[in-house]
Amino acid sequence: MTGPNYSNKSRVFGLLLSFALIAGWLGTSAHAFSVVTTGGTNTTADGGDLGNATINGTLRDASRSSDDGTVHHMERFPVIVQDFGRVETPFIISLWIFCACLGKIGFHMSPRFSKMFPESCMLILLGVIIGLLLFYTHAATVSPLTANVFFIYMLPPIILDAGYFMPNRLFFDHLGTILMFAVVGTIWNTLTIGISLYALSLTGIFGDMYELPILHMLLFSSLISAVDPIAVLAVFEEIQVEEVLFILVFGESLLNDGITVVLYHMFEGFSVLGQYNLIMQDYLAASASFLLVALGGTAIGIIWGFLTAFVTRFTKDVRVIEPVFIFVMSYLAYLNAEIFHLSGILSITFCGIAMKNYTTQNISIKSQTTVKYAMKMLAQSSETIIFMFLGVSTVHDDHSWNSAFVGLTILFCSVYRVLGILMLSAVANTFRVQKIDFVQKFVLSYGGLRGAVAFALVLTIDKDIIPAQPMFVTTTIAVVYFTVFFQGITIKPLVEMLGVRKSSHRKLTMNERLHERSMDYLMAGVEDIIGKHGNFYLRDKFKRFNTKYLTPCLVRDTQWSEPKLLETLNYIKMEEAMSYMHNSGHPPEQIESFAALYRTAHNAAHNAQLKQGDGQMIGEIWNLDVAELEYNPTAKHINDANFHHMLSDEYKPIKKRRHGGTYKRHAVQDEEMVEGSTTETHRNRNIRQPFVNHHHRYHHRKNKDGINGKAGGSDHIQKLNGTAITLRNDYIEQQMRDNPAFQPDDTDPGSYGAMENKDKAYKRMSIRGPVVAETTLPWRRHILADRPTRASIVQRRQSVDVDNDHVPTMAEMLLPWKRGDDLDGNSEPRHAEHPAWASNEDYIDTDSPSNTYLRRIGDVAKPNIQDIFKKRNSSASLYSISESSNGLKEALRRHSNQSSPKKEDGRKRSHEKSAYSRRSSLKDESYWRSALSDVPRRGMSMRDSRENSEPSSRRSSVRDIPSEVGGHGGSLLNTAITEEEPRASPGGTTPSPRAEHVINMEPAGDTPNTLETDRDETKF
Amino acid sequence: RYRAKPLCYHCVESKFRVRLCVKCYFLILYNMGNKSSVMLDEQDIKALQADTGFSGSQIERLYSRFTSLDKGGSGSLSREDFLRIPELAINPLGDRIVHAFFKEGTDDRVNFKDFVTVLAHFRPIKRSQENKLNGRDEKLRFAFKMYDLDDDDAISRDELLAVLHMMVGENISEDQLNSIAERTILEADKDNDQMISFREFCTALDRTDVEQKMSIKFLK
């Protein structure tokens, strides 16, 4: 226990030390800078400072010397010059941020600290330390936090963050209460604090150092009475109280800005005018400006918010600048309000609130993420800097400490806050459904933190008009420190002691979303019945107005009147997919060879048919493929592929890449981004990689180790493996899909249309002839030579079928080394029950979707993700898939039984047709739709399934293979290419179609194929 | 879609585009000074107070609303009386809400007692007094009835779909609605019967602040 503690301490100490060093360095740099500037203003060249001289300085020195007529030695062109002045401001600001962030890291490294203190305390302390360092080194005497910097640059990000991520519903539910606290509460605090302090000042308790008229007191009280949003956010985000409480405190702190600004400017103006020069007109103007400042700020914010939403409606082609609009336009809203001295805080808050719902529907998900993180980052860094600057600004020698004034201010602030809350919540409770209880009242009054806004405001007071300004500054700092330190530190234990309900950060479930929505309608209806125009009624009205007018104006594609429901749905789907992918690691012994399953089932069926006297044609639908080798895909493979398709269909709309158009350097194409970066794609690759990668790697390793069962000369077999695997795999996958037992009941008429097209496509397809590779390549020619005619294939197959009780693969018949095996005995073809990678622990450990699938075979009770995915097109019952896939063997048996009668007519072509037509009863509509586009050009359409999920560009590159290669050979090439793809490095060059040929002719399995980088690159 | 015409609030009849027609305005003014217009016995009010927990003045206010809805003056409301309220007519759940006022098996009229009893479900919960009608369970039961179209005490997938259709309108893809309905059932369905029973419904909304969401501040 002591070990980590010690290391933590040493780490923290090290960090603090590094701060000191940085601060010291900063000090010296600043010092150096000041030396440089003074050197520049000096008329005589100062030899001692030559090293620090800037290039401007040297030139000026040189010119001055020549003016004097005395020629000093010329400055030659310097190798390096130091020009700190040029970068001073941004450099120092960056250093600040860097320091503060380091401080944050250090703070969170020691959990004991971070549990006890709020972060804001630490930052202020850090600021004080740095301030002290700067102060005693006399490096920088300027206070970094000026009111302008604060209000123009630092405040907006924090408030925008607050407004944009404001829970709208909650906020407007409690808007009445919030407004009451914000408006009445702030006025109450200002008046009571100001008048009390003034009354006490009359007794002379504050000494006679300053003259303290009532207007000055009110000015001070107006800035000190406002609850500070930054401090509230900083503290309340850590204590995580329930949402209602948080929104009450935070909403108040946001909205009281309008009042504070008005009061502040009012009393400032009055102070300038002088107490005795005020006439009625001034009072009237002041009260009018109350309304104007608050409502005007709000209105400007809302207008800018809607404008932003409107603009983002048209950003479809330039996704990258979407976040820019959101940031810049809300900042414009802030500045726009500030121009007229309206409440900028209100403006930017309502800008965020107004735009959020529409922009999230307009901008892409990427942009949403960008906006979210950029906003959080900006807000966090602003907050960090503000608190640190607060600390730094504390250290100066202009303080004017008045214990009585400071003490009484703190006392009045606390007392009147409590009184005000008690009073106002009593009033609020009369119209609230959910009463504010004692605990909430306590947190409300205790959470009234003062912060940087007050400090920045007090800095703007003109010392000439209000002589007591130094005392006000000191007192404000004291109050801020008191609230942030004392209240900030104690509020956490107090909240826990009082048992304040904590917030539960979670996404709503589908049920909650839906039922809450229906409850809203219900309550609106009930309010209509009793004739009351309450909250629900108003919300209903607004909602209706929104869907009718606002949304069509501001949102690009509006078909959906309940976007939140869809949002929840998508979120839940995503979560589920993720969790299934994560939880599906399972031991290898559960992997069951699908081929074995199939064969057993098939043989059983076949035997049954033999008894009936017709079993001859079974091989027909089996072997369309010469390249079928000893490799047998397991159910794992098939389900990997299935899952892959489901994921890609579900999450990635199949889009045609837009060719042509203008090239934009900064354009980030959405397809690219989706393709390149999302986790799904990675997962897809992982799914596909084992088919090739692991297998190959495994063999290579075996070769090296010398335990290779195969001869080195059978290299081409290995090369073919990828192809064979894919072909076979897809084939069986399709068999599985063909099988009615595996399919959901489909009532979607759309998919039938696709199927009919598919049928035609199949009919057009020719039977493949010898492949080019087979005729030309010496090591493949023997295949051709050995190849029987089509009829003889059928003949032989039949005979084999009758003789042996198993279905021989094409390879078994064609390849001499296999045939020998088969003819020797009646044994089944030798094949590895598990593919080579199955024993590879690296792979097993990876999350494989098929594990989910396989596990489900034994366990039907729970429906799983795949059902939901598969069911998206149909309205059939939810569990048909899981029920049917329950008995895999059963299903297969049924399939072979059903298919047998169709094979009786004996003509091969018609068999193929029937096989295809049955195959084309695949239900997965989108799968077929995309496959369809390639069918006429491709040799084997069965292959298509694998490319469907690939971007169309990749498809197009494959398509370029000359069609005269034709038939199966084309498909072989295609498959070889696509199988290579997952391994290809994304940063390669673009091969020509010819190069693709070469790639596939090469015996070596892993050519650096770079089809991944699509052909568009050549265009650019 | 039926476009709501702004009718007079009180008599629900006026063709003028005002919320409260002049005639009714004076009628209300007159009634306010004239308690005798409330044709309720003291005993009735007392009984209703005991049953529903409403205060006397709340009951009187509801009665005046009741009579203003009651066009025929028969002392009871029909479905048409309810649906004459323009906002209710375009409320997607309007039919369901009105339906909830009618007990099964009874004739197609709602008398004042039924009216008040149903509305009592939406009183805010008070800790000090017994919450017979407005407890959490009662409120949830009411929300549940919105979905339970065939009154079989369970929400089937079709019922959910129907309600979803009402709520989100036509121009949305069937797939997504299906998907939402399925998710909803899947999430709540604990005993795998493809239905959401009332218990499951309550469990699903365990963390929702139903007490607040289904309460209305009735005017005193």
Side-chain angles (χ1 to χ4, degrees):
Chain A
M1 195 58 209
T2 52
N5 259 350
Y6 177 72
S7 69
N8 264 343
K9 269 181 199 163
S10 65
R11 249 182 297 170
V12 171
F13 180 71
L15 274 170
L16 286 179
L17 201 68
S18 63
F19 295 144
L21 284 176
I22 288 161
W25 182 56
L26 184 70
T28 49
S29 324
H31 185 63
F33 169 66
S34 68
V35 167
V36 168
T37 45
T38 50
T41 48
N42 261 347
T43 44
T44 57
D46 189 352
D49 279 299
L50 271 183
N52 286 331
T54 64
I55 191 158
N56 293 334
T58 45
L59 284 178
R60 211 178 301 138
D61 290 343
S63 64
R64 282 212 182 95
S65 336
S66 60
D67 281 350
D68 290 342
T70 52
V71 180
H72 298 278
H73 69 282
M74 255 319 247
E75 284 288 338
R76 303 312 306 172
F77 186 79
V79 176
I80 187 165
V81 287
Q82 186 189 348
D83 187 4
F84 183 69
R86 204 162 67 95
V87 295
E88 189 207 8
T89 317
F91 188 82
I92 288 182
I93 289 171
S94 311
L95 260 189
W96 280 123
I97 300 173
F98 175 67
C99 272
C101 293
L102 276 187
K104 273 197 166 183
I105 296 176
F107 179 70
H108 285 291
M109 264 178 179
S110 77
R112 228 177 3 160
F113 263 151
S114 49
K115 225 178 268 175
M116 240 165 69
F117 301 102
E119 216 177 66
S120 44
C121 296
M122 183 274 303
L123 288 169
I124 289 182
L125 274 181
L126 188 63
V128 170
I129 292 170
I130 292 181
L132 281 174
L133 276 171
L134 291 181
F135 185 70
Y136 284 111
T137 52
H138 300 285
T141 48
V142 60
S143 165
L145 185 68
T146 63
N148 246 357
V149 169
F150 176 78
F151 280 116
I152 303 288
Y153 299 111
M154 291 179 181
L155 194 56
I158 302 177
I159 306 298
L160 176 62
D161 176 54
Y164 196 79
F165 296 106
M166 175 83 77
N168 283 0
R169 173 77 196 262
L170 207 59
F171 180 71
F172 285 110
D173 267 350
H174 301 279
L175 188 60
T177 317
I178 291 170
L179 273 179
M180 199 161 90
F181 283 140
V183 179
V184 185
T186 310
I187 294 177
W188 153 266
N189 277 344
T190 307
L191 292 181
T192 49
I193 294 173
I195 291 170
S196 306
L197 283 176
Y198 178 68
L200 282 172
S201 76
L202 291 180
T203 65
I205 193 174
F206 302 139
D208 47 3
M209 196 173 162
Y210 301 110
E211 184 194 353
L212 292 167
I214 184 157
L215 277 179
H216 295 187
M217 278 304 190
L218 283 173
L219 176 63
F220 173 67
S221 69
S222 74
L223 62 91
I224 205 71
S225 60
V227 178
D228 181 60
I230 305 168
V232 165
L233 260 186
V235 169
F236 273 71
E237 272 188 355
E238 283 183 35
I239 59 177
Q240 299 279 331
V241 293
E242 51 157 335
E243 285 89 352
V244 175
L245 197 48
F246 175 73
I247 206 76
L248 285 181
V249 182
F250 182 58
E252 183 203 339
S253 71
L254 274 182
L255 297 196
N256 70 14
D257 175 72
I259 306 305
T260 313
V261 169
V262 178
L263 287 175
Y264 178 77
H265 285 300
M266 184 171 91
F267 290 124
E268 194 186 31
F270 286 179
S271 303
V272 172
L273 282 173
Q275 196 172 346
Y276 304 106
N277 303 330
L278 295 174
I279 55 170
M280 199 57 196
Q281 193 196 344
D282 297 321
Y283 293 115
L284 282 179
S287 28
S289 74
F290 256 114
L291 280 178
L292 189 71
V293 165
L295 296 183
T298 310
I300 287 180
I302 290 175
I303 289 170
W304 276 102
F306 284 153
L307 263 181
T308 315
F310 188 67
V311 169
T312 51
R313 207 182 163 202
F314 305 104
T315 52
K316 199 180 174 205
D317 300 326
V318 270
R319 292 287 197 195
V320 196
I321 58 167
E322 279 168 347
V324 178
F325 279 123
I326 288 171
F327 284 110
V328 167
M329 290 182 81
S330 41
Y331 190 46
L332 280 175
Y334 182 84
L335 296 179
N336 199 344
E338 288 286 316
I339 290 174
F340 306 107
H341 274 267
L342 304 179
S343 166
I345 293 188
L346 279 181
S347 172
I348 200 169
T349 305
F350 277 95
C351 182
I353 289 176
M355 78 163 100
K356 177 175 78 177
N357 273 341
Y358 308 107
T359 49
T360 43
Q361 290 180 62
N362 277 338
I363 66 179
S364 69
I365 294 176
K366 304 273 168 205
S367 301
Q368 280 182 42
T369 315
T370 312
V371 167
K372 185 178 169 188
Y373 282 100
M375 221 176 249
K376 292 275 173 215
M377 189 196 73
L378 284 176
Q380 275 279 320
S381 28
S382 288
E383 194 189 297
T384 309
I385 299 172
I386 285 171
F387 280 117
M388 242 177 86
F389 279 7
L390 208 59
V392 176
S393 311
T394 313
V395 190
H396 60 84
D397 43 13
D398 217 14
H399 282 299
S400 159
W401 178 269
N402 185 329
S403 305
F405 192 71
V406 169
L408 281 172
T409 307
I410 293 175
L411 181 73
F412 286 144
C413 277
S414 317
V415 169
Y416 288 124
R417 170 84 187 164
V418 174
L419 281 181
I421 291 292
L422 286 179
M423 231 167 50
L424 292 174
S425 53
V427 177
N429 274 348
T430 59
F431 65 82
R432 277 177 69 87
V433 167
Q434 196 186 26
K435 311 288 182 214
I436 302 172
D437 57 19
F438 170 75
V439 175
Q440 284 175 322
K441 281 177 199 164
F442 175 80
V443 178
L444 272 173
S445 34
Y446 208 77
L449 306 172
R450 270 62 163 185
V453 173
F455 182 70
L457 279 177
V458 84
L459 284 181
T460 58
I461 295 179
D462 194 347
K463 208 173 171 180
D464 297 333
I465 297 166
I466 295 158
Q469 195 250 6
M471 186 174 79
F472 288 163
V473 172
T474 310
T475 312
T476 306
I477 289 176
V479 172
V480 169
Y481 274 40
F482 175 79
T483 53
V484 170
F485 277 88
F486 181 74
Q487 290 181 320
I489 292 172
T490 51
I491 198 169
K492 214 171 186 178
L494 276 175
V495 158
E496 265 156 31
M497 233 166 62
L498 289 166
V500 179
R501 271 172 298 164
K502 294 294 178 76
S503 75
S504 51
H505 279 296
R506 63 194 176 86
K507 293 266 182 181
L508 289 179
T509 63
M510 204 68 229
N511 272 284
E512 285 166 334
R513 268 272 194 248
L514 181 60
H515 300 328
E516 280 174 16
R517 197 71 205 95
S518 71
M519 276 179 204
D520 282 350
Y521 280 123
L522 168 61
M523 296 317 289
V526 171
E527 283 196 344
D528 292 336
I529 288 176
I530 65 167
K532 185 197 173 207
H533 289 191
N535 259 352
F536 295 105
Y537 173 83
L538 288 177
R539 178 173 301 117
D540 197 45
K541 275 269 165 197
F542 173 74
K543 190 109 189 161
R544 221 164 269 153
F545 177 73
N546 187 29
T547 35
K548 200 160 180 192
Y549 301 109
L550 287 183
T551 315
C553 272
L554 301 177
V555 176
R556 195 183 310 122
D557 312 308
T558 47
Q559 321 108 347
W560 179 262
S561 56
E562 303 279 342
K564 295 282 181 192
L565 277 180
L566 197 64
E567 197 180 287
T568 310
L569 177 72
N570 287 337
Y571 172 76
I572 288 172
K573 271 189 192 167
M574 199 66 187
E575 281 282 288
E576 220 150 72
M578 298 287 247
S579 73
Y580 267 97
M581 297 300 271
H582 270 290
N583 299 334
S584 58
H586 81 121
E589 55 262 26
Q590 283 181 29
I591 299 174
E592 199 169 2
S593 162
F594 181 77
L597 270 181
Y598 194 100
R599 188 162 287 116
T600 329
H602 197 281
N603 284 345
H606 183 67
N607 287 338
Q609 285 163 12
L610 274 182
K611 278 170 197 160
Q612 293 161 13
D614 51 47
Q616 49 191 4
M617 287 303 180
I618 291 170
E620 290 297 319
I621 49 156
W622 248 114
N623 275 307
L624 300 167
D625 180 9
V626 73
E628 208 176 313
L629 290 181
E630 77 268 41
Y631 179 74
N632 267 305
T634 59
K636 186 173 170 60
H637 280 148
I638 290 145
N639 298 314
D640 278 345
N642 270 339
F643 204 88
H644 164 215
H645 292 312
M646 276 183 289
L647 276 180
S648 56
D649 290 345
E650 189 70 21
Y651 288 116
K652 194 171 54 169
I654 295 160
K655 282 183 187 167
K656 287 270 181 252
R657 165 160 301 185
R658 267 212 332 241
H659 287 280
T662 50
Y663 165 64
K664 301 181 200 96
R665 192 167 58 88
H666 293 295
V668 182
Q669 284 168 11
D670 261 5
E671 294 97 325
E672 266 175 32
M673 290 176 71
V674 169
E675 183 59 20
S677 60
T678 56
T679 44
E680 283 107 60
T681 321
H682 284 303
R683 204 169 295 134
N684 288 350
R685 290 212 183 114
N686 284 339
I687 290 168
R688 271 177 296 128
Q689 264 178 351
F691 292 112
V692 193
N693 236 359
H694 289 274
H695 203 63
H696 278 249
R697 219 180 285 146
Y698 188 71
H699 276 296
H700 288 319
R701 201 165 57 221
K702 260 168 58 171
N703 275 336
K704 260 183 231 159
D705 295 347
I707 37 166
N708 192 3
K710 296 184 178 83
S714 65
D715 211 10
H716 63 282
I717 300 174
Q718 288 188 18
K719 186 164 70 73
L720 276 174
N721 268 351
T723 319
I725 292 157
T726 327
L727 283 171
R728 175 68 179 279
N729 187 40
D730 276 7
Y731 175 59
I732 294 184
E733 178 190 332
Q734 289 195 3
Q735 290 287 328
M736 215 170 117
R737 283 167 180 256
D738 281 357
N739 198 312
F742 280 90
Q743 290 155 14
D745 307 7
D746 202 338
T747 52
D748 192 354
S751 57
Y752 288 123
M755 275 171 233
E756 283 168 20
N757 287 338
K758 198 67 197 171
D759 271 347
K760 286 174 195 158
Y762 273 125
K763 280 168 194 161
R764 276 203 303 274
M765 229 173 49
S766 62
I767 300 170
R768 80 195 154 71
V771 191
V772 169
E774 283 170 355
T775 51
T776 53
L777 299 179
W779 60 86
R780 300 198 60 182
R781 210 172 291 142
H782 69 277
I783 300 175
L784 190 66
D786 219 310
R787 184 183 206 137
T789 59
R790 190 151 294 282
S792 66
I793 294 177
V794 180
Q795 284 293 321
R796 271 178 75 172
R797 205 176 279 158
Q798 284 174 9
S799 64
V800 171
D801 273 356
V802 173
D803 290 341
N804 306 329
D805 259 1
H806 83 275
V807 183
T809 61
M810 187 75 94
E812 283 164 30
M813 288 180 299
L814 294 184
L815 303 177
W817 57 90
K818 303 249 352 169
R819 204 163 56 226
D821 284 348
D822 280 349
L823 296 177
D824 284 347
N826 290 341
S827 63
E828 302 221 339
R830 277 191 323 203
H831 65 270
E833 191 70 304
H834 303 302
W837 50 265
S839 53
N840 184 348
E841 285 183 4
D842 289 343
Y843 181 67
I844 291 157
D845 282 343
T846 56
D847 302 324
S848 149
S850 77
N851 291 334
T852 322
Y853 196 97
L854 284 180
R855 179 176 296 157
R856 206 191 41 184
I857 288 174
D859 172 26
V860 229
K862 284 187 182 169
N864 80 6
I865 178 85
Q866 297 179 345
D867 303 349
I868 297 124
F869 287 168
K870 279 195 172 179
K871 288 280 296 120
R872 69 199 174 285
N873 280 333
S874 72
S875 56
S877 78
L878 185 57
Y879 297 99
S880 58
I881 308 169
S882 62
E883 279 162 17
S884 58
S885 61
N886 176 23
L888 193 54
K889 290 183 185 179
E890 271 301 313
L892 286 165
R893 196 166 291 132
R894 240 186 301 155
H895 160 56
S896 37
N897 282 336
Q898 279 177 3
S899 58
S900 55
K902 291 185 186 170
K903 287 175 227 130
E904 285 180 345
D905 56 352
R907 279 178 53 225
K908 179 165 173 48
R909 258 175 178 273
S910 68
H911 281 309
E912 276 191 357
K913 265 188 214 163
S914 72
Y916 284 137
S917 63
R918 283 190 307 102
R919 193 170 299 129
S920 66
S921 67
L922 289 183
K923 297 298 183 192
D924 200 336
E925 189 204 344
S926 53
Y927 163 74
W928 279 116
R929 196 174 46 228
S930 56
L932 203 58
S933 60
D934 282 342
V935 166
R937 273 178 271 191
R938 308 290 305 279
M940 280 277 284
S941 61
M942 287 195 326
R943 272 293 315 127
D944 289 356
S945 58
R946 196 145 301 280
E947 278 99 12
N948 286 334
S949 55
E950 310 294 335
S952 50
S953 63
R954 185 180 300 171
R955 235 171 15 225
S956 72
S957 68
V958 173
R959 218 176 271 151
D960 286 335
I961 294 163
S963 55
E964 60 264 25
V965 171
H968 194 187
S971 85
L972 272 182
L973 288 173
N974 291 352
T975 53
I977 288 163
T978 47
E979 275 307 311
E980 297 288 330
E981 277 166 20
R983 285 186 298 159
S985 65
T989 54
T990 313
S992 63
R994 188 177 296 275
E996 285 159 20
H997 271 290
V998 174
I999 284 157
N1000 288 285
M1001 303 299 178
E1002 278 173 15
D1006 37 6
T1007 45
N1009 196 327
T1010 47
L1011 284 169
E1012 185 92 20
T1013 62
D1014 26 294
R1015 308 176 65 79
D1016 293 15
E1017 248 185 45
T1018 50
K1019 204 177 64 194
F1020 297 149
Chain B
R1 196 153 179 175
Y2 172 68
R3 172 93 168 85
K5 245 189 268 172
L7 296 179
C8 168
Y9 209 140
H10 193 252
C11 61
V12 203
E13 218 171 37
S14 162
K15 297 289 185 293
F16 303 108
R17 301 183 67 83
V18 284
R19 277 280 162 211
L20 194 65
C21 64
V22 182
K23 195 181 77 186
C24 295
Y25 183 71
F26 284 108
L27 196 73
I28 289 169
L29 271 187
Y30 175 74
N31 282 348
M32 276 165 77
N34 191 357
K35 284 275 175 188
S36 67
S37 71
V38 177
M39 284 168 286
L40 277 174
D41 292 343
E42 282 297 309
Q43 280 89 356
D44 286 351
I45 294 180
K46 282 269 153 53
L48 278 177
Q49 270 181 296
D51 282 352
T52 61
F54 280 120
S55 72
S57 62
Q58 280 172 333
I59 289 178
E60 277 172 23
R61 189 178 279 272
L62 286 175
Y63 188 72
S64 109
R65 177 69 180 165
F66 181 80
T67 45
S68 72
L69 289 175
D70 181 17
K71 282 292 102 194
S74 62
S76 60
L77 300 176
S78 65
R79 283 170 201 267
E80 288 70 37
D81 285 330
F82 278 109
L83 290 176
R84 221 174 276 136
I85 305 170
E87 283 88 2
L88 195 63
I90 54 171
N91 192 318
L93 296 179
D95 280 331
R96 297 300 304 158
I97 297 166
V98 173
H99 180 77
F101 279 85
F102 292 86
K103 280 187 219 147
E104 306 106 86
T106 56
D107 53 347
D108 278 352
R109 311 293 291 182
V110 176
N111 63 24
F112 183 59
K113 188 165 182 293
D114 300 336
F115 185 72
V116 176
T117 313
V118 171
L119 289 178
H121 286 97
F122 303 104
R123 281 180 48 235
I125 296 177
K126 279 189 186 136
R127 269 189 224 114
S128 52
Q129 83 189 68
E130 191 193 359
N131 294 297
K132 201 166 29 175
L133 289 170
N134 59 344
R136 183 189 168 90
D137 270 17
E138 298 302 317
K139 286 181 195 298
L140 277 172
R141 172 68 74 178
F142 203 97
F144 183 75
K145 271 197 268 177
M146 292 295 110
Y147 295 97
D148 191 11
L149 302 179
D150 55 2
D151 292 326
D152 65 346
D153 221 23
I155 305 173
S156 72
R157 184 171 167 281
D158 290 336
E159 286 170 339
L160 206 55
L161 259 183
V163 174
L164 268 171
H165 262 299
M166 294 181 205
M167 274 169 58
V168 302
E170 274 78 43
N171 48 357
I172 166 227
S173 87
E174 195 69 27
D175 291 350
Q176 285 173 327
L177 272 195
N178 274 326
S179 185
I180 287 176
E182 274 158 15
R183 289 264 32 120
T184 311
I185 290 187
L186 206 64
E187 224 174 58
D189 189 18
K190 296 277 181 278
D191 53 5
N192 285 323
D193 62 349
Q194 313 304 312
M195 311 267 258
I196 302 179
S197 69
F198 179 60
R199 274 297 121 218
E200 287 163 349
F201 186 76
C202 291
T203 320
L205 290 177
D206 238 358
R207 291 183 289 185
T208 308
D209 195 1
V210 178
E211 292 90 335
Q212 201 234 328
K213 282 204 161 61
M214 291 190 64
S215 297
I216 293 180
K217 191 86 188 168
F218 284 89
L219 295 174
K220 287 272 158 26

